[in-house]
RNA sequence: GGAAGCGUGGCAGAGCGGUUGAAUGCACCGGUCUUGAAAACCGGCAAGGGCGCAAGUCCUUCGUGAGUUCGAAUCUCACCGCUUCCGCCA
């Protein structure tokens, strides 16, 4: 959520930026009309409330003095505007909730360093790290590799559940676990993150906080709770972890707060039918190790570079070639002010594919969650939030299978994973 | 699932229809005292919002929502959460 103050003072500039940079249009006239009404209603309502409060206090005094007559007179006075006050209060609540609804459906404004653009075509490559390996045989993709090894099974997953799920077994299931373990160990031991175990189901309020609701309900899975309520399966650990300090004022000296959390992620992938239907690239359920930081506003852009580096270090440790891309304004997520994507080289696709997304949300999420810190002067102010995948475990598995494949169909275990694999150096067919 | 109890400021904990945004203690901040510190003493200390250049002033908030009332932290209803006991269970 953007600061309503900038809509009050400089609405045309914001509207302009949002159209040019995010192709997001909103009705400035309607907003302003509501805002004018709000201002008038609020002033009016509050002055009536003040009158009522003053009279009520007086009534109290009369009652104490047993002057029922005097009290009666004042009660009549209040009665004269009671109905008007009630109507004002109701309308004011309506207007404010309409304003809030508009405000909460407006995306974040991109940082000035974010390149302008429409879609992923306009993303800007920042750097490439590592050289794609040259193969002296016909490369296979992870589906062929995994099925040939007899340890990746899409058909049975579809039988058990449906499409876009996978069943991993034996060494590959263990490799998947080892990858997550390696990521968690690295981030906790080398990068100073605190490990978190968090709920996999969250309420609507938490999803509002990070920006998935109200606009993107269709992307989420939910389960009914009680008679009317529901919980949502998390689409990313970002949701429970970023919300840890929602509605709280954290101590300045505790910043930055850095958390790492390994969870499954559940996404309905509505609107992506037909895309990446082969293999494990786009699943309804996948594991991810997520990095989350709550930081002092002045530091958030340095922290974004740092956090991106933490995610990169996993790819480097696994010796996987990748590139870093700055998302253009049109390709960024709803809540982000700036995003770097890490794209890993997949020989099976002969392409770089996203494996991590690292973003600075500035105060956009903090404002929704009401997460603040106390400034040096003691005044509360919003923190900045960041997160990034460090990394998507399922996609990391794909990358390892494809980049470490051998001519005979086996897959070499990356050096850093050997001990986590109990000494196993190569995955063979079973 | 059944029964009982409880949700108040950073924490603990009063208040149970009237001038209470809320006693008191702890924590925290400033001051006096002290060579310094501690102790003692004095003072300060919730958040959000409106109007205002400002000083200030007004409104809202005692789990959430609705209601009763001139007036609600206090009464009513619903919901959410927590605790304890019983049952069940990994």
């Amino acid at each position: 959520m953007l600061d309503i103050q900038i809509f009050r003072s400089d609405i045309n500039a914001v509207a302009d930026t949002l159209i040019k940079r995010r192709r997001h249009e909103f009705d400035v006239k309607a907003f302003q009309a509501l805002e004018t009404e709000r201002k008038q209603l609020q002033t009016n309502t509050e002055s009536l409330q003040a009158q009522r409060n003053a009279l009520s206090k007086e009534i109290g005094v009369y009652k104490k003095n047993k002057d029922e007559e005097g009290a009666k007179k004042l009660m009549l006075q209040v009665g004269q505007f009671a109905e008007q006050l009630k109507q004002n209060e109701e309308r004011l609540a309506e207007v404010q909730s309409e304003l809030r609804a508009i405000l909460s459906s407006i995306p974040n404004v991109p940082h000035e360093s974010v390149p302008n653009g429409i879609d992923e075509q306009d993303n800007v490559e920042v750097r490439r790290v590592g050289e794609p390996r040259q193969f002296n045989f016909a490369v296979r993709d992870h589906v062929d590799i995994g099925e040939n090894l007899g340890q990746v099974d899409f058909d049975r997953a579809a039988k058990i559940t449906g499409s876009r799920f996978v069943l991993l077994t034996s060494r590959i299931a263990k490799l998947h676990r080892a990858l997550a373990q390696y990521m968690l160990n690295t981030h906790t031991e080398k990068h100073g993150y605190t490990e978190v175990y968090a709920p996999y189901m969250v309420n609507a309020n938490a999803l509002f906080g990070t920006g998935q609701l109200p606009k993107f309900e269709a992307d989420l899975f939910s389960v009914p709770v009680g008679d009317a309520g529901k919980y949502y399966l998390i689409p990313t650990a970002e949701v429970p972890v970023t919300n840890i300090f929602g509605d709280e004022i954290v101590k300045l000296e505790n910043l930055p707060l850095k958390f790492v959390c390994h969870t499954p992620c559940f996404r309905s992938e509505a609107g992506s039918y037909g895309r990446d239907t082969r293999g494990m690239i786009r699943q309804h359920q996948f594991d991810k190790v997520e990095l989350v930081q709550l930081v002092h506003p002045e530091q958030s852009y340095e922290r974004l570079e740092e956090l991106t580096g933490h995610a990169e270090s996993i790819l480097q440790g696994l010796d996987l070639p990748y590139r870093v891309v700055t998302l253009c304004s049109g390709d960024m997520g709803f809540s982000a002010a700036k995003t770097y994507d890490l794209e890993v080289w997949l020989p099976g696709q002969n392409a770089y594919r996203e494996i991590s997304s690292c973003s600075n949300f500035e105060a956009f999420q903090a404002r929704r969650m009401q997460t603040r810190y106390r400034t040096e002067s003691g005044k509360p102010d919003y923190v900045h939030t960041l997160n990034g995948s460090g990394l998507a475990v399922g996609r990391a598995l794909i990358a390892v299978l494809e980049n470490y494949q051998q001519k005979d169909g086996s897959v070499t275990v990356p050096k850093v994973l050997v001990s986590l694999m109990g000494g196993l150096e190569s995955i063979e067919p079973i």
Side-chain angles (χ1 to χ4, degrees), chain A residues 365-385:
Chain A
Q365 294 181 324
R367 213 172 273 122
R368 291 171 156 251
M369 299 184 302
Q370 289 298 310
T371 301
R372 291 159 294 171
Y373 73 104
R374 225 170 262 288
T375 61
E376 291 77 355
S377 69
K379 282 276 157 229
D381 189 18
Y382 295 110
V383 300
H384 281 192
T385 61

Side-chain angles (χ1 to χ4, degrees), chain A residues 98-137:
Chain A
E98 283 174 48
L99 282 169
R100 214 174 308 122
I102 294 175
L103 208 59
S104 57
S105 65
I106 293 174
N108 204 352
V109 172
H111 186 252
E112 56 192 10
S113 67
V114 170
N116 235 347
I118 308 291
D119 57 27
E120 69 264 18
Q121 305 284 319
D122 301 317
N123 294 343
V124 174
E125 182 175 301
V126 180
R127 58 184 170 270
R128 286 187 187 212
V129 180
E131 280 292 312
R133 177 183 153 203
Q134 298 300 313
F135 293 87
N136 57 5
F137 57 90

Side-chain angles (χ1 to χ4, degrees), chain A residues 29-46:
Chain A
K29 286 267 186 310
F31 187 93
Q32 283 180 317
L34 277 172
E35 178 55 18
T36 307
E37 191 182 356
R38 187 227 98 222
K39 200 164 179 167
Q40 202 233 320
L41 267 174
Q42 185 163 351
T43 312
N44 222 311
T45 305
E46 289 185 359

Side-chain angles (χ1 to χ4, degrees), chain A residues 211-409:
Chain A
Q212 283 81 10
L213 288 182
K215 285 192 96 172
F216 307 102
E217 173 139 28
D219 298 338
L220 302 165
F221 287 111
S222 64
V223 293
V225 174
D227 291 333
K230 57 176 149 178
Y231 289 159
Y232 296 83
L233 302 188
I234 55 171
T236 157
E238 163 192 354
V239 180
V241 177
T242 311
N243 275 285
I244 290 175
F245 289 101
D247 274 320
E248 293 191 38
I249 300 177
V250 301
K251 289 206 172 77
L252 178 65
E253 60 265 31
N254 291 341
L255 298 180
L257 288 155
K258 297 165 72 176
F259 300 107
V260 59
C261 185
H262 168 219
T263 69
C265 304
F266 302 93
R267 300 187 183 178
S268 79
E269 296 298 340
S272 65
Y273 298 112
R275 287 176 67 192
D276 299 315
T277 47
R278 180 176 164 84
M280 284 180 65
I281 296 268
R282 193 178 299 275
Q283 302 269 285
H284 288 313
Q285 172 189 316
F286 62 94
D287 276 30
K288 184 156 58 66
V289 170
E290 184 76 0
L291 304 172
V292 173
Q293 293 199 21
L294 308 187
V295 309
H296 192 287
E298 282 166 20
Q299 293 180 356
S300 62
Y301 281 94
E302 296 165 46
R303 291 289 175 182
L304 176 62
E305 299 300 323
E306 177 202 87
L307 182 147
T308 306
H310 293 154
E312 286 181 67
S313 78
I314 301 297
L315 288 164
Q316 289 163 16
L318 292 168
D319 201 19
L320 293 168
Y322 67 94
R323 61 176 196 154
V324 182
V325 167
T326 306
L327 296 195
C328 74
S329 55
D331 199 31
M332 284 196 307
F334 177 77
S335 303
K338 182 171 188 176
T339 301
Y340 291 117
D341 269 9
L342 304 186
E343 298 182 344
V344 68
W345 176 252
L346 294 185
Q349 299 215 351
N350 200 38
Y352 285 99
R353 292 300 306 259
E354 178 185 344
I355 193 167
S356 171
S357 198
C358 303
S359 303
N360 182 3
F361 302 90
E362 298 188 0
F364 190 86
Q365 294 181 324
R367 213 172 273 122
R368 291 171 156 251
M369 299 184 302
Q370 289 298 310
T371 301
R372 291 159 294 171
Y373 73 104
R374 225 170 262 288
T375 61
E376 291 77 355
S377 69
K379 282 276 157 229
D381 189 18
Y382 295 110
V383 300
H384 281 192
T385 61
L386 302 95
N387 70 55
S389 352
L391 309 163
V393 182
R395 289 193 181 175
L397 180 72
I398 296 173
V400 168
L401 292 179
E402 294 192 0
N403 281 281
Y404 282 84
Q405 64 180 299
Q406 304 302 317
K407 193 172 182 179
D408 64 3

Side-chain angles (χ1 to χ4, degrees), chain A residues 111-252:
Chain A
H111 186 252
E112 56 192 10
S113 67
V114 170
N116 235 347
I118 308 291
D119 57 27
E120 69 264 18
Q121 305 284 319
D122 301 317
N123 294 343
V124 174
E125 182 175 301
V126 180
R127 58 184 170 270
R128 286 187 187 212
V129 180
E131 280 292 312
R133 177 183 153 203
Q134 298 300 313
F135 293 87
N136 57 5
F137 57 90
V139 296
R140 290 186 263 209
D141 77 355
H142 68 281
V143 178
D144 289 342
I145 298 166
E147 291 185 340
N148 181 55
L149 288 169
Q151 299 163 59
V152 174
D153 192 334
F154 293 97
D155 296 338
R156 289 202 174 96
K159 179 176 71 181
I160 298 163
T161 308
S163 65
R164 294 196 191 272
F165 288 89
V166 72
L167 184 70
L168 306 177
T169 56
S170 190
R171 306 287 162 69
I172 291 187
K174 188 167 185 174
L175 182 63
H176 183 259
R177 172 159 60 91
L179 280 164
Q181 212 74 266
Y182 170 65
M183 294 173 197
L184 283 167
N185 289 346
T186 303
H187 295 310
T188 53
E189 290 162 19
K190 296 194 176 148
H191 303 148
Y193 288 82
T194 302
E195 187 164 349
V196 172
Y197 173 80
Y200 298 165
M201 290 191 260
V202 294
N203 58 35
N205 188 51
L207 286 156
F208 177 84
T210 35
Q212 283 81 10
L213 288 182
K215 285 192 96 172
F216 307 102
E217 173 139 28
D219 298 338
L220 302 165
F221 287 111
S222 64
V223 293
V225 174
D227 291 333
K230 57 176 149 178
Y231 289 159
Y232 296 83
L233 302 188
I234 55 171
T236 157
E238 163 192 354
V239 180
V241 177
T242 311
N243 275 285
I244 290 175
F245 289 101
D247 274 320
E248 293 191 38
I249 300 177
V250 301
K251 289 206 172 77
L252 178 65

